[in-house]
Amino acid sequence: MGIQLAIPLQRDGTYTTKSSLVFKASHYENGRTIYCYAENAVMHKNSEPELHASIILDVRYPPVITLSPLNITVNETTSLSSENTVLLKCHYFANPQELKGIVWSKDGKNLTLDDPNKYVGGTLINPPVYIKNVVREDMGEYTCSLRNEVGSETSDDSIFLNVQYPPDVEVVMEPSTPVKTVEKSTVLLECNVTSGNPSTLQKVRWFLDGELMKEFPECNYTSYDEDGVGEGNGGPFCGLDPSILSLEKVDEKFAGNYTCQGRNVAGWGNESEPKELIVYYPPSPAKLRYYPSKIVKGASVTLECTVDNPGRPDNLTYIWYRGLHQMAEITTSNFTISPVGLETRTNFTCTAENEGGKSQQATVFINVNAPPAFIQKLPTYQGVLYSSQHINLTCIVECNPECSIVWNKDGNRIDTSNNPLYKVETKKLPPDFRKNDFESVNSTLIWNMDAWPGKKLDKTAPNSLYTCQSMPNSIGIGVNSTIEIAVDYPPEEVYISPATVIHVIENQAPSPIKCQGKGRPALTYQWQKNATSEPISRNEDLVLGPMRRSDTGRYICEAKNKHGVQTAAAYFNEKTYNPQIVFCLIDVPDAPECTLVQTERSSSQVLRCTVRANPQEVKFTWLAKESNETFVVTSNIEHHGLESFLFLDSSVDTARRYYCYANNSVGTSTPCDISVEAYQEQSRQIGRPGNLPWWKQFTRDEMIIIIASIIAIIIIVIIICIVIILVCRRKRADTKCESIPVFDFVPSFPFRAPRYCPIIQ
């Protein structure tokens, strides 16, 4: 959008015209040149060239991402055998080009690419990622997110990694119930895919009692075209669905356990679990068999007791014996022992029974073997103290037939005949029925410490991998167990940085103090203040907040592992070095703070001024204020470190207020003060009134009480005197007057009748 603005006519008669081009910039405009051309009618008339200017756009934008290829198909079986690597490409362009972050995601969840055996790339320098040894768990949608200083973007499209893997199958039988010979039934067996990619089966192998029956489709082409496709008629079983096996007119010959094995484009999968087809028929001499024919510990074995003619009725009951002991809980024609153990290695006997009687017994001996398996494996990790004199590793491998054990170090065979550093002891152990352990081999690798340099291990040596490896026997492949051995040693070379006295201003935080050292296993750290039992930090770095004066002290770093403890060594000052206790002194300078109290010293009344300060080199100043006059007190003063004593003059009887100051290199304290009145009160409490006049030894309140008491006594004396005078006058009047009868009335309270003097005519 263009905007043109013409400014009104100027004094010189010209115009100023401004034109703006406004648009929303995108990465497509980055690096493009924008031109501005200007002309007016005069230039056009004079055929003058138009004015122009240009600017190159620098558009900053987040990464624009392109993924490729968008679809990858990998065969898991081929990938595992050839160690193929899949490359997920993440192309981008951005301004600025430098990446600040990269994240690969699978099915919406971020991937962790820190396993070099699985992933390569996916970094800021190398955004594409390689996936090694692709397995079915790697299948999914992959996206790439990139970030530069402008922002972060996620790819709009995604890479779908399709991992093809062989199918797992199961046999589904219809009908699933037993069938009878007389019914000539048809049984359909379906090889159903439970897991696999793709799920479509190209071929199916059908097994009865472990033996191959058919492999479908069964095509008998006589010729093939250039693409390997058969030409002509492939036979009646070429176009059938290979996952369906139809058993028609079932009789006793069809009885048994059916399994199937499926194949898709990824290859052949595992054989399914057996599915048994039971056919009832009249009893005949019992036949006993078990499958699979090779019995392995921990697997399963199925024993099946059959008769050629079950007789009538066809509800047979089977009786089983393990050795001479009847297994009353087993009444079916077959049963499965799972898992197979040592007690399965014995004779098994069965017989069939109906209402007509029992069949002849059938007996079979089941020999159970054990593939190599660990009874005692090596731990995954063990730290060995470099100065240990007795080091050995022991593994116990169960195997029947017997297998041998060898030891490897870092992938290389340990030949004790040519290597004096080690020796191996081997024992053959009998079976243990209590633990269900078959025959086993006990092998112990022993370090011959007398042959090691200095009779010690090299504590600087890297970790080593020791492997106990059994050879295979006729039953199974060998097994191995690996342990990582690390040479341990106690803490050493522990130090603090910085290792000096740190001076800190109050309410300021000191710089962090680092504690470091060597040792294996890795050291743990804790800090203590002044060797107290409670740690103040359990980190390698001591980080303190704003300091108070109470924080001054020694801070000790303790480094430890399971083999020992060592405190860090540091210089406390330039002259002292202590290799056992190491600390860092944090000193918080502060101006003095004072307290002023009145007390007694050398039988005299004194004012004691006490300060807290850092540094502790202080100077005291005393002032006294009497009325409105303030003066410096220089006499009767004693200084003792952080205390100063002012001896009071008991002859001073006027009110005074005393002030105490203290100052050090940081500053001057706030003054402490106390008045003489407080001194008078304390003097009386301790029984030392001094030489003041007696009336000044009382407080103002006490003087008021005393004066009020005196006035009250005087008033009482005056009242008593007035009463006495009145009584005396009345007695004198009684002697001059006669009594006159009382008026005729009864008063309600004691009443004295008035007395009248006779009228003298």
Side-chain angles (χ1 to χ4, degrees):
M1 178 179 69
I3 299 176
Q4 184 167 311
L5 177 63
I7 299 178
L9 184 67
Q10 306 297 312
R11 292 182 179 180
D12 58 358
T14 62
Y15 288 85
T16 298
T17 303
K18 293 183 179 181
S19 178
S20 299
L21 177 64
V22 181
F23 62 94
K24 185 176 181 180
S26 66
H27 63 272
Y28 296 105
E29 285 77 27
N30 182 44
R32 294 198 173 188
T33 303
I34 302 296
Y35 296 91
C36 174
Y37 295 90
E39 67 175 355
N40 60 9
V42 175
M43 297 175 65
H44 186 71
K45 179 179 180 181
N46 297 334
S47 300
E48 295 178 357
E50 56 190 8
L51 300 178
H52 68 277
S54 64
I55 186 173
I56 299 176
L57 294 181
D58 182 14
V59 180
R60 300 297 179 96
Y61 56 91
V64 178
I65 306 169
T66 304
L67 299 181
S68 66
L70 298 182
N71 290 284
I72 303 175
T73 300
V74 179
N75 189 320
E76 181 186 63
T77 306
T78 304
S79 175
L80 290 175
S81 62
S82 60
E83 298 185 354
N84 288 341
T85 298
V86 172
L87 173 60
L88 307 182
K89 298 180 181 179
C90 180
H91 305 278
Y92 77 97
F93 56 91
N95 187 19
Q97 190 73 9
E98 180 183 2
L99 295 179
K100 299 294 185 180
I102 177 172
V103 176
W104 277 95
S105 301
K106 174 180 174 291
D107 297 330
K109 296 182 179 180
N110 292 346
L111 286 175
T112 301
L113 307 178
D114 54 1
D115 184 0
N117 296 323
K118 185 65 178 178
Y119 302 102
V120 176
T123 64
L124 296 177
I125 300 175
N126 185 23
V129 64
Y130 292 83
I131 303 178
K132 300 180 180 180
N133 301 326
V134 177
V135 294
R136 64 192 68 180
E137 289 78 10
D138 297 321
M139 184 166 60
E141 296 279 347
Y142 289 81
T143 58
C144 176
S145 298
L146 301 178
R147 176 173 57 87
N148 63 3
E149 67 179 26
V150 176
S152 178
E153 288 292 337
T154 302
S155 59
D156 294 332
D157 49 10
S158 61
I159 299 175
F160 179 72
L161 177 58
N162 182 31
V163 181
Q164 298 176 338
Y165 55 93
D168 293 329
V169 295
E170 65 177 358
V171 175
V172 179
M173 181 182 297
E174 179 62 35
S176 59
T177 57
V179 297
K180 300 178 181 180
T181 302
V182 294
E183 294 177 352
K184 304 296 181 181
S185 302
T186 298
V187 176
L188 295 179
L189 302 179
E190 180 181 359
C191 191
N192 185 39
V193 177
T194 59
S195 174
N197 185 33
S199 59
T200 302
L201 298 179
Q202 295 177 330
K203 290 187 177 182
V204 176
R205 292 171 179 167
W206 287 96
F207 301 86
L208 174 58
D209 294 334
E211 297 181 0
L212 180 63
M213 299 173 56
K214 286 287 185 180
E215 180 177 324
F216 294 135
E218 187 178 65
C219 298
N220 299 318
Y221 292 109
T222 57
S223 62
Y224 297 86
D225 60 16
E226 59 182 8
D227 296 326
V229 178
E231 297 179 342
N233 185 7
F237 303 107
C238 186
L240 297 179
D241 183 355
S243 63
I244 302 296
L245 176 64
S246 177
L247 305 178
E248 299 180 352
K249 297 181 180 180
V250 174
D251 58 18
E252 59 270 22
K253 296 188 300 293
F254 290 88
N257 284 275
Y258 289 83
T259 59
C260 68
Q261 183 181 19
R263 177 182 176 178
N264 60 11
V265 295
W268 287 101
N270 296 324
E271 187 177 344
S272 69
E273 292 295 322
K275 189 72 173 181
E276 184 178 11
L277 173 61
I278 301 174
V279 180
Y280 290 139
Y281 46 90
S284 61
K287 297 179 180 179
L288 177 59
R289 64 172 184 168
Y290 61 88
Y291 53 88
S293 58
K294 185 178 292 186
I295 312 301
V296 179
K297 175 189 176 181
S300 62
V301 58
T302 299
L303 292 89
E304 183 179 60
C305 185
T306 60
V307 290
D308 294 335
N309 188 354
R312 289 186 180 180
D314 57 2
N315 54 339
L316 299 177
T317 300
Y318 295 87
I319 303 172
W320 292 88
Y321 293 88
R322 184 199 301 267
L324 299 178
H325 172 71
Q326 181 180 351
M327 297 182 290
E329 69 279 8
I330 307 298
T331 59
T332 59
S333 62
N334 59 76
F335 72 97
T336 300
I337 301 174
S338 180
V340 171
L342 190 59
E343 73 281 356
T344 311
R345 188 194 291 174
T346 186
N347 286 325
F348 285 85
T349 302
C350 80
T351 182
E353 181 182 28
N354 62 11
E355 294 180 359
K358 297 180 180 180
S359 68
Q360 295 181 2
Q361 292 184 346
T363 302
V364 66
F365 175 77
I366 296 182
N367 183 28
V368 181
N369 294 310
F374 280 104
I375 296 176
Q376 177 178 322
K377 298 180 66 175
L378 297 176
T380 58
Y381 178 88
Q382 180 177 339
V384 179
L385 188 61
Y386 79 106
S387 58
S388 299
Q389 295 301 305
H390 301 284
I391 307 173
N392 60 73
L393 298 174
T394 298
C395 66
I396 303 176
V397 178
E398 172 189 58
C399 51
N400 182 39
E402 182 182 339
C403 59
S404 60
I405 295 178
V406 296
W407 289 88
N408 298 327
K409 177 184 178 183
D410 295 329
N412 299 317
R413 182 73 55 85
I414 298 177
D415 185 1
T416 56
S417 61
N418 296 324
N419 191 343
L421 300 179
Y422 305 95
K423 60 181 179 179
V424 176
E425 293 182 356
T426 302
K427 298 179 182 178
K428 297 179 181 179
L429 303 180
D432 188 344
F433 283 88
R434 296 175 303 170
K435 298 181 179 180
N436 193 32
D437 291 340
F438 282 63
E439 295 83 352
S440 58
V441 179
N442 181 311
S443 182
T444 301
L445 177 65
I446 303 172
W447 273 250
N448 184 14
M449 296 307 300
D450 291 336
W452 287 77
K455 298 184 179 180
K456 294 181 180 180
L457 301 179
D458 182 5
K459 61 184 178 182
T460 64
N463 294 359
S464 298
L465 298 178
Y466 288 84
T467 302
C468 169
Q469 180 178 1
S470 75
M471 297 293 101
N473 62 7
S474 59
I475 302 302
I477 62 175
V479 294
N480 61 79
S481 175
T482 300
I483 180 175
E484 181 179 0
I485 295 293
V487 180
D488 288 357
Y489 57 95
E492 60 182 31
E493 300 182 23
V494 180
Y495 65 94
I496 298 174
S497 177
T500 58
V501 176
I502 299 178
H503 296 277
V504 183
I505 302 300
E506 186 176 21
N507 297 323
Q508 291 187 3
S511 300
I513 304 171
K514 181 177 288 294
C515 185
Q516 294 176 303
K518 296 181 179 179
R520 187 181 289 118
L523 303 183
T524 60
Y525 301 90
Q526 72 177 22
W527 289 85
Q528 295 175 317
K529 178 184 176 184
N530 297 331
T532 59
S533 59
E534 292 296 330
I536 61 174
S537 175
R538 299 186 184 275
N539 296 322
E540 181 178 345
D541 293 340
L542 176 62
V543 181
L544 300 174
M547 302 296 290
R548 303 186 301 273
R549 64 186 61 194
S550 59
D551 295 325
T552 300
R554 295 176 175 178
Y555 290 76
I556 302 171
C557 169
E558 182 183 79
K560 64 180 178 180
N561 61 15
K562 67 179 181 179
H563 298 297
V565 179
Q566 187 181 32
T567 53
Y571 288 97
F572 172 65
N573 54 39
E574 295 180 355
K575 297 181 180 180
T576 302
Y577 175 71
N578 187 337
Q580 298 300 324
I581 300 177
V582 186
F583 48 84
C584 180
L585 177 64
I586 295 182
D587 193 8
V588 184
D590 189 26
E593 290 184 3
C594 67
T595 56
L596 182 58
V597 297
Q598 186 265 326
T599 184
E600 183 179 287
R601 183 178 177 85
S602 301
S603 301
S604 300
Q605 292 297 305
V606 297
L607 298 180
R608 183 181 65 196
C609 184
T610 304
V611 299
R612 291 168 48 189
N614 186 16
Q616 297 183 355
E617 293 76 17
V618 297
K619 293 181 179 181
F620 291 90
T621 302
W622 288 88
L623 298 178
K625 183 177 182 181
E626 184 175 337
S627 297
N628 293 326
E629 181 182 358
T630 303
F631 55 90
V632 178
V633 180
T634 58
S635 59
N636 298 328
I637 297 175
E638 291 183 3
H639 301 300
H640 298 280
L642 297 177
E643 290 184 331
S644 181
F645 298 90
L646 172 61
F647 288 81
L648 296 175
D649 187 355
S650 59
S651 62
V652 177
D653 59 357
T654 58
R656 283 186 179 181
R657 181 167 293 276
Y658 291 91
Y659 298 87
C660 174
Y661 294 84
N663 68 306
N664 62 3
S665 60
V666 179
T668 304
S669 69
T670 302
C672 303
D673 63 282
I674 192 170
S675 65
V676 170
E677 291 182 355
Y679 159 70
Q680 297 278 353
E681 178 65 24
Q682 295 177 16
S683 296
R684 187 188 315 109
Q685 290 178 359
I686 63 177
R688 295 184 179 273
N691 298 324
L692 296 175
W694 67 269
W695 62 86
K696 290 187 177 182
Q697 297 181 16
F698 296 100
T699 64
R700 179 180 178 182
D701 293 339
E702 291 175 341
M703 290 299 295
I704 293 173
I705 294 173
I706 292 173
I707 294 172
S709 300
I710 294 173
I711 294 173
I713 292 173
I714 293 173
I715 293 173
I716 293 172
V717 171
I718 293 173
I719 293 173
I720 293 174
C721 292
I722 294 173
V723 172
I724 294 174
I725 293 172
L726 293 175
V727 171
C728 291
R729 287 182 177 180
R730 180 171 293 178
K731 287 184 178 181
R732 188 181 297 117
D734 288 342
T735 59
K736 295 180 179 180
C737 301
E738 296 180 355
S739 298
I740 297 178
V742 179
F743 291 103
D744 189 11
F745 70 92
V746 179
S748 59
F749 52 88
F751 182 81
R752 180 179 292 273
R755 296 184 182 274
Y756 298 93
C757 292
I759 300 176
I760 301 176
Q761 297 181 349

